[in-house]
Amino acid sequence: MPSVPEIDISSLLAPADDADLASVEATAAAIDSACREVGFFTIVGHDVDLARLADLDRLAREFFARPDEEKAEIAMPLAGRAWRGWFPLGGELTSGVPDLKEGVYFGAELAADDPRVQAGTPMHGANLFPRQPEALRAAVLDHLDQMTIVGQAVLTGMARGLGLAPTWFAAHLTTDPLVLFRIFHYPPVPPPGATGTAEPDRWGVAEHTDYGLLTVLAQDGSGGLQVRTLAGWVDVEPRPERLVVNVGDMLERLTGGRYRSTPHRVRNTVDTHRLSFPFFLDPAWGATVERLPIVERPTDEGAAQRWDRTSVHGFTGTYGDYLLGKVAQVFPDLADALATPETTTGT
């Protein structure tokens, strides 16, 4: 059974004057291999402060332990087109089935006078932060900054592995990236059969792929994340010092399938409250993601086998168009509400 490889990315974060080119090329080759073979890998040497991650985890647990009525003070509909805020247990769908999780959506913090906000661009705007714990705001914004640095460094390694200039992604797709961040809470569930009912198999989040370029995930020690490889499903063992990176749909599209946007899922644990912290580094909202000239033209033959029965290669339009179509399936009620004129001006 294949495993999810571990890669030290410290050479990609070293100052240019101190860079060890041999180490950089070896890291890029390891990333390229992982993206082709699994679509997932874990990273160490990322320079992320583990004490800050622990603080973020503690503050998030404090928030999720509060009553739903209090958490609803930052409910997602209140953010309007910015698409930020809290959703309750079962409030997010995967393939039409409610997930067994609750969560909070965040993104780049933008002021009201930002041109993208004034233009009403979806998923751009101010975040909604809870009154308590007050320190969660600073912890989230700090994490966004740290993960952006890590994500851009990983992209330089991917660029080298693809035979491109190290700055290719920054120059073409992530000069002004769409930066999104989630905190998910997966409550414990009874073991199968414990309730005496014949409920269908339920997941914290069912099989899916991520939509953008790459995801950088921090998670607690509970476990539950599984990746679908060519040989079957494998668990991603959680370790405090490791972050998990996976390929999104746009990287599969960009590389003509050389890099795999790998399906993954999460099973809730029986006796622990699992928290995860996925960060998404995506193309700019208005970017058009075209196939790289270094790859052959892809086919759509695999679309029928994808979890959502769609093709990342047959799509036409901007990344924003692609993302809106996907997110509308995850929160259909919210998408319907935002489509009406009287609700499209929220901040």
Side-chain angles (χ1 to χ4, degrees), residues 36-322:
R36 286 186 286 108
E37 296 175 5
V38 186
F40 266 77
F41 53 98
T42 63
I43 57 174
V44 294
H46 44 65
D47 284 349
V48 174
D49 189 330
L50 298 182
R52 291 183 180 180
L53 278 179
D55 285 342
L56 180 62
D57 182 283
R58 174 181 56 80
L59 293 165
R61 290 180 190 277
E62 183 179 336
F63 169 75
F64 287 121
R66 294 183 176 274
D68 282 1
E69 294 78 10
E70 183 176 336
K71 289 181 283 190
E73 294 176 2
I74 60 165
M76 289 185 71
L78 299 176
R81 296 180 74 80
W83 217 301
R84 314 287 173 85
W86 173 76
F87 67 87
L89 184 68
E92 185 170 10
L93 309 180
T94 301
S95 298
V97 178
D99 296 335
L100 292 178
K101 71 175 190 293
E102 63 176 322
V104 192
Y105 274 45
F106 300 102
E109 180 76 356
L110 301 178
D113 60 356
D114 186 283
R116 293 160 294 183
V117 179
Q118 292 188 330
T121 307
M123 298 186 195
H124 291 74
N127 290 293
L128 298 181
F129 293 104
R131 290 184 291 109
Q132 296 295 332
E134 185 177 357
L136 183 61
R137 182 184 192 278
V140 165
L141 295 179
D142 176 71
H143 191 72
L144 281 166
D145 290 340
Q146 290 189 79
M147 291 298 103
T148 299
I149 293 171
V150 172
Q152 294 283 24
V154 171
L155 286 179
T156 66
M158 288 184 177
R160 287 180 178 273
L162 291 167
L164 303 170
T167 57
W168 189 91
F169 283 97
H172 292 84
L173 293 178
T174 61
T175 305
D176 181 23
L178 181 63
V179 172
L180 302 171
F181 175 50
R182 318 286 188 241
I183 303 179
F184 291 141
H185 167 224
Y186 300 83
V189 295
T195 61
T197 61
E199 293 185 3
D201 198 12
R202 295 287 302 279
W203 294 88
V205 56
E207 178 182 348
H208 68 287
T209 58
D210 295 339
Y211 310 137
L213 287 175
L214 59 83
T215 304
V216 183
L217 171 75
Q219 57 177 334
D220 68 10
S222 302
L225 173 62
Q226 298 180 333
V227 175
R228 194 181 78 182
T229 70
L230 296 177
W233 289 94
V234 299
D235 294 315
V236 181
E237 180 186 358
R239 293 182 185 173
E241 73 279 8
R242 299 195 312 192
L243 300 174
V244 181
V245 177
N246 66 274
V247 170
D249 290 349
M250 291 300 102
L251 267 176
E252 179 168 330
R253 174 184 172 90
L254 184 76
T255 63
R258 172 173 171 166
Y259 286 2
R260 298 178 54 225
S261 180
T262 302
H264 48 287
R265 64 190 184 186
V266 174
R267 183 181 292 282
N268 295 41
T269 59
V270 173
D271 55 3
T272 59
H273 291 263
R274 179 183 187 269
L275 261 63
S276 71
F277 306 86
F279 168 87
F280 305 92
L281 184 61
D282 291 352
W285 182 262
T288 301
V289 181
E290 302 289 357
R291 187 182 70 258
L292 290 170
I294 61 175
V295 297
E296 297 180 359
R297 183 174 182 82
T299 68
D300 293 338
E301 294 177 356
Q305 282 73 50
R306 269 181 58 97
W307 66 280
D308 57 358
R309 308 293 189 268
T310 63
S311 169
V312 300
H313 305 297
F315 169 79
T316 59
T318 66
Y319 176 61
D321 296 330
Y322 182 82

